[in-house]
Amino acid sequence: MAKKKHHGAIPFSMGMVLVTMGVVYGDIGTSPMYTLRAIMHGNGGLNTMEPDVVIGALSLIIWTMTLITTVKYVLVAMKADNHNEGGIFALYSLVRHCGAWLIGPAMVGGAALLADGILTPAVTVTTAIEGLRTIDLIHEIIGDSQAVVIAITIAIICMLFLVQRAGTSSIGRAFGPIMCLWFGFLGVVGVIYLFNDLNVLRAFNPLRGIMFLFNGNLNQAGLMVLGNVFLCTTGAEALYSDMGHVGKKNIYASWPVVKACLIANYLGQGAWILSMRNNAGLAAMGANMNPFFEMLPGGFRIFAVILSTLAAIIASQALITGSFSIVSEAISLDLMPHMKIEYPSQNKGQLYIPMVNNILWIGCVGVVLFFRSSERMEAAYGLAITVTMLMTTILLTLYLARVRHKAALAVPFALFFGVLESFFFFSSLTKFTHGGYVTVFLAFAIFIVMYVWHRGTQIEMAQRVNLPVANYVGQLRELSQYEKIPYMADNLVFLTNDPSSTMLDRDILYSILDKQPKRAKAYWFLNVAVTDEPDTHEFWINDFGTDFLFKVQLRLGFHVNQRVNEYLYQIISTMVQQGRLPAQDHRFSIYERAGHVGDFRFCLVRKVPSDSNDISSADLTILKVKYFIRGACGSPDHWYGLENSSVMLEYVPLFVATKRQHKLSYVPMPTAEEEAEEEDSDE
């Protein structure tokens, strides 16, 4: 058997740095649009923005980005890659041998991150479009109508999800120059307004942030201010998840520039706020006063709104591509059902999952319609991602201690980031009643899907039996020659997820021999394995010393269309030419020369639980829900290009011990006299 190859790391190049800018930094790159606004209004509005308040808030922002994004994710987490793939499930796959309980943090963190991915496009695009109202001419046209903002936002979100099929590489090349312009804009504007009050540079002192956090006279929100500060680093987890799309070297090269531009813009906003804190007109705007847009000259504002809208679209892209990676990893870990995955480029890290794309699409539109304003969305934003970060810290601690054998580093890492992120989590809990319950509900729903799939698989594996095919060669030979049973097909093909060359799932043999004896000239047990190379076309075959029984593994590259009927036709043609399979000539055909390959019948075996199984009612319910989810995710005949082939879906009972039944006792049939006496007694 050929050895499995793993795709290599994406090398550093200026082209891939450009793609990185377009794919990875959208979420964290748009945080200046709403972070300081959220902090300011959470603290009581513009009039409360004294120098110590602004400098303290800026200090918290700077050091939150430094500690969580730079130290935890860029310097530590990105070292924990699974064959150059990142994300919480890639991390779990590295530490899963350390304890079965680790599946819990992995599922909780993955579910929370996917839920956050639904909210991100909604909040970023809505915030950008609301900036239109800061332009006098446009404000005269649309006024304060939020319905217009919602309509434009939904139209943009729909366009974004429609183009996902093109692939992240194509999207990244298109978005990369825009994001370079965006970060240049952030940096230049920030530096210009920084000179309004250079005292904001004191924010680099972490003590100013700590003093502000615990000073009740300055910080009216108390520790809850951290829930708004956290908005500056919500894209950190997506950065780790997107690592496989662009390569860690390209992130290492671009992040310092991105961070410098972000900090410059925050400092510029802070300096502008200090210069305008006594402006009664701005203070009267209340929650609609966004320093990011208001500090710009009126004539320049239209450019800022257009650019911020494009950046918001790209922010959404970062979460969408990260969601594709997370789901792909979850599928490989058997935490989610099999779904059709497309690879639009020659890099396996760049993928597209139609079902996930559609679910995110519907979810984002629903969030926009439910919340209707960015202010309400921001109140709910960030709660779920704090949970993901805590779960990542748990897994990273195990990785450092057990995989890298650096216990001396693991302990302080766990203590420091565990405490820090716990502060962020508890401060974000106040968002629950303000809309955070939406993301919590979404995360819980995703977690339930993962739990049901994982637990259902455990139940199945507990009863699964693989039998040696060699032990049944005699029966299968006799069946194939048993003339009293008509042929079902020349080639009867069973798709199996078992990669073994000698063993077979008992359910398949049960389907052939017991459920309804299936006679065929040749039996094929086909396993499809996707390799980490894009264009692999390989197969191995075990014929068990026969000319009618074959276990085949078809090894296809991730970029290869999985039309297994076409490849199986090639395999059979080769076997006939080699004399390992009798020619399957057809007497009747629309073709002049029908060839030596007969017809195909594909059989897909599905397990079905029974109420008579001796398992708990809870486990039985889990199995039923799992099979319902499986049915909702599509049929394998679409995954393997069998839409136009003869496909038979057969259900077999889930083989588990049945409940003990009471033994029946035989009694003689009552005579006519006895029946008459019984009727008289009833009267």
Side-chain angles (χ1 to χ4, degrees), residues 34-49:
Y34 45 76
T35 301
L36 267 176
R37 180 181 73 168
I39 294 173
M40 179 172 63
H41 294 298
N43 201 63
L46 183 63
N47 292 331
T48 67
M49 292 291 103

Side-chain angles (χ1 to χ4, degrees), residues 524 539 541 567-581 596-597:
W524 302 86
F539 74 95
I541 189 166
Y567 293 114
L568 191 57
Y569 188 94
Q570 294 181 28
I571 293 172
I572 294 176
S573 298
T574 301
M575 298 286 287
V576 172
Q577 292 172 7
Q578 294 176 352
R580 299 173 64 185
L581 179 69
H596 301 291
V597 179

Side-chain angles (χ1 to χ4, degrees), residues 92 214 244 247 281 296 373 392 529 546 565 607 627:
Y92 165 71
F214 294 103
L296 299 174
S373 72
T392 301
T546 74
N565 54 346
K607 301 176 188 291
Y627 296 152

Side-chain angles (χ1 to χ4, degrees), residues 291-442:
F292 179 82
F293 291 110
E294 293 295 340
M295 71 179 184
L296 299 174
F300 196 62
R301 207 167 285 167
I302 183 64
F303 169 78
V305 171
I306 294 172
L307 189 57
S308 64
T309 301
L310 293 173
I313 293 171
I314 297 167
S316 306
Q317 181 64 43
L319 265 294
I320 294 169
T321 54
S323 297
F324 291 158
S325 295
I326 292 166
V327 172
S328 175
E329 291 284 349
I331 292 172
S332 67
L333 291 169
D334 211 7
L335 296 177
M336 278 191 171
H338 189 119
M339 287 177 265
K340 185 176 182 180
I341 301 177
E342 299 176 8
Y343 300 91
S345 77
Q346 291 296 308
N347 175 18
K348 189 179 181 184
Q350 296 171 6
L351 48 87
Y352 167 72
I353 306 177
M355 176 167 282
V356 174
N357 188 69
N358 294 338
I359 291 173
L360 291 175
W361 187 352
I362 294 170
C364 288
V365 172
V367 165
V368 173
L369 293 174
F370 180 80
F371 285 106
R372 300 187 66 83
S373 72
S374 64
E375 181 189 4
R376 293 183 63 199
M377 294 178 198
E378 288 165 15
Y381 193 37
L383 174 57
I385 204 66
T386 58
V387 176
T388 302
M389 288 188 172
L390 278 168
M391 300 303 104
T392 301
T393 295
I394 293 172
L395 298 180
L396 275 175
T397 300
L398 268 294
Y399 172 78
L400 292 171
R402 302 286 294 278
V403 179
R404 297 294 298 273
H405 305 291
K406 295 182 178 180
L409 177 61
V411 173
F413 176 87
L415 291 175
F416 181 80
F417 285 102
V419 171
L420 178 63
E421 289 166 354
S422 293
F423 272 115
F424 282 118
F425 170 70
F426 287 111
S427 65
S428 296
L429 281 179
T430 56
K431 298 184 176 185
F432 182 84
T433 56
H434 298 286
Y437 57 86
V438 173
T439 49
V440 171
F441 171 78
L442 292 171

